[in-house]
Amino acid sequence: MSIQEYESVFLEAKTNLTKLKKEVQRFIVGQEEVIDQLLWTMFSGGHALLEGLPGLGKTMLVRSISECLDLSFRRIQFTPDLMPTDITGTMMLQRDESGKQKFTFHEGPIFHQVILADEINRATPKTQSALLEAMGERTVTIMGETKKMKTPFFVLATQNPIDMEGTYPLPEAQKDRFLSKIHVPYPTKKELKEIVLKTTGKERVVLNEIMDGRDVVRYQQLAKEILISEDLLNIAVQIVSATHPAESSAPELVKRYVQYGSGPRGLQSLIQMAKCRALFSGRFAVSTGDLKHVSFPVLRHRIYMNFEGEAEGITPEMIIENVLETVTENWR
């Protein structure tokens, strides 16, 4: 493919992805950064964990995006009594035409393209872990029989802050399966007023289909073709390495307050999401700005404070900001 053809393809991608974002914003008021991070995650082929107080529009955001992408959507309301088979499905004994009994697989709600795991941390860890195989391998195994998920496949989970009553912290292995953790902030006064006007009037916003599943897969593949220089790849490695307290290049804040840092999946996610941000901007290569912007949603759920860090109120965001400052200074 010639340079002109590449330019045409990337320009088309930028145009369509911008159109998708604007269509979602026709219904979702504000939350521009949340929308950006969620779309970057999805077009990177990953799953997202959205955390925020109840009533901030997390569920409606996920539903709106699925409508604009024309993907099959299913919401699973996580509760303490939800069982793993309520998610994955189960084998049931049924009679066939000849009258013989045999086991038949009945699909659970996870066999859709966009899964909204609503209030995921209200279910027990056993039920939460039922998503692990589906998120990591895109398959579900029931009684030794493996079933493939549809393509594309996304788990977009919402979570209330973990200090709220009736919530369970997500297992570390499952948190690592989410490519990003996105904080949903409280709206401004102006946004609150616009939300009321949009939701209490008689007019209803009908969202248009902008893409389908084939377009999503095509742009996911295009994002993988985005270039990253050796220097920027080294910076990404330094960022992830500096989140570990045992690393010699880690800043003092990390060595004092962090118990565990990000693993290899964090580095993979950092590169994937940085490439996708570049694609949304219509660029052929990753920039330092891409790495900085995606570091927060990619790494915040992969950094664990020690007891002293929690007692001092040190947050993963503080650690990431300190790491970025240190790595940038060393790079210069």
Side-chain angles (χ1 to χ4, degrees):
M1 189 181 292
S2 65
I3 295 178
Q4 290 77 15
E5 289 173 323
Y6 258 114
E7 289 177 347
S8 176
V9 169
F10 276 86
L11 179 61
E12 178 199 353
K14 180 184 177 182
T15 301
N16 289 338
L17 292 170
T18 301
K19 187 177 178 182
L20 170 64
K21 177 183 173 181
K22 288 182 177 179
E23 186 66 20
V24 173
Q25 289 177 314
R26 286 183 55 230
F27 184 72
I28 302 298
V29 177
Q31 310 290 11
E32 182 174 3
E33 192 165 343
V34 174
I35 295 171
D36 279 337
Q37 292 178 3
L38 185 53
L39 290 176
W40 296 342
T41 301
M42 294 178 70
F43 282 88
S44 298
H47 311 289
L49 177 63
L50 293 91
E51 182 177 275
L53 294 170
L56 296 184
K58 302 184 293 295
T59 301
M60 290 310 303
L61 172 59
V62 173
R63 188 185 294 273
S64 299
I65 289 178
S66 68
E67 289 179 12
C68 293
L69 294 176
D70 191 32
L71 300 176
S72 64
F73 171 84
R74 181 59 61 92
R75 175 189 178 194
I76 306 174
Q77 183 64 52
F78 279 65
T79 56
D81 61 345
L82 189 73
M83 299 298 292
T85 52
D86 295 330
I87 299 172
T88 60
T90 187
M91 291 287 190
M92 298 185 68
L93 198 59
Q94 289 188 333
R95 294 184 183 275
D96 59 17
E97 295 177 354
S98 63
K100 293 182 179 179
Q101 291 186 332
K102 65 176 183 179
F103 282 103
T104 304
F105 179 68
H106 284 247
E107 291 184 350
I110 198 158
F111 287 92
H112 285 263
Q113 292 172 300
V114 177
I115 305 300
L116 171 59
D118 210 3
E119 297 186 300
I120 188 173
N121 61 332
R122 291 203 179 277
T124 60
K126 179 180 179 180
T127 301
Q128 293 171 7
S129 63
L131 291 171
L132 275 177
E133 182 186 356
M135 293 173 66
E137 311 300 331
R138 265 58 173 186
T139 60
V140 169
T141 303
I142 303 291
M143 294 180 65
E145 187 173 343
T146 301
K147 305 285 184 180
K148 289 187 177 181
M149 317 303 297
K150 294 181 179 179
T151 302
F153 172 71
F154 306 105
V155 174
L156 307 178
T158 67
Q159 171 177 279
N160 295 323
I162 60 174
D163 57 345
M164 294 191 70
E165 188 175 352
T167 58
Y168 300 83
L170 291 180
E172 286 77 5
Q174 185 169 354
K175 281 199 288 187
D176 197 41
R177 299 281 180 173
F178 287 102
L179 187 144
S180 66
K181 180 181 179 182
I182 303 169
H183 281 173
V184 182
Y186 196 80
T188 64
K189 292 180 180 178
K190 182 180 178 181
E191 290 169 349
L192 281 172
K193 183 178 178 181
E194 191 175 347
I195 289 170
V196 170
L197 293 175
K198 278 192 174 184
T199 56
T200 60
K202 64 179 181 179
E203 292 187 7
R204 179 178 177 272
V205 177
V206 179
L207 296 174
N208 299 311
E209 175 193 329
I210 305 300
M211 302 179 194
D212 58 20
R214 288 171 297 180
D215 294 321
V216 174
V217 173
R218 183 159 58 93
Y219 290 137
Q220 285 176 346
Q221 294 299 320
L222 188 61
K224 293 179 181 179
E225 297 183 24
I226 299 289
L227 303 175
I228 180 167
S229 67
E230 187 73 19
D231 286 341
L232 286 184
L233 183 57
N234 289 336
I235 291 176
V237 172
Q238 290 174 31
I239 290 172
V240 173
S241 298
T243 63
H244 291 269
E247 180 67 29
S248 59
S249 61
E252 287 303 315
L253 202 67
V254 172
K255 293 178 179 178
R256 181 176 177 183
Y257 294 117
V258 174
Q259 184 173 12
Y260 302 112
S262 172
R265 193 177 280 122
L267 177 60
Q268 292 171 329
S269 300
L270 189 65
I271 300 302
Q272 287 175 281
M273 202 165 175
K275 286 186 173 186
C276 202
R277 185 178 186 269
L279 176 65
F280 270 68
S281 302
R283 287 181 278 107
F284 305 136
V286 173
S287 68
T288 52
D290 293 327
L291 289 177
K292 288 180 180 179
H293 274 85
V294 305
S295 291
F296 290 92
V298 166
L299 297 178
R300 61 163 54 106
H301 58 300
R302 294 183 164 100
I303 296 175
Y304 300 93
M305 300 296 118
N306 57 24
F307 178 79
E308 187 179 359
E310 292 182 355
E312 293 286 340
I314 305 298
T315 65
E317 285 77 14
M318 294 178 185
I319 297 296
I320 296 168
E321 190 169 351
N322 186 240
V323 164
L324 290 175
E325 289 175 358
T326 303
V327 170
T328 302
E329 288 176 3
N330 292 340
W331 182 59
R332 286 176 181 173

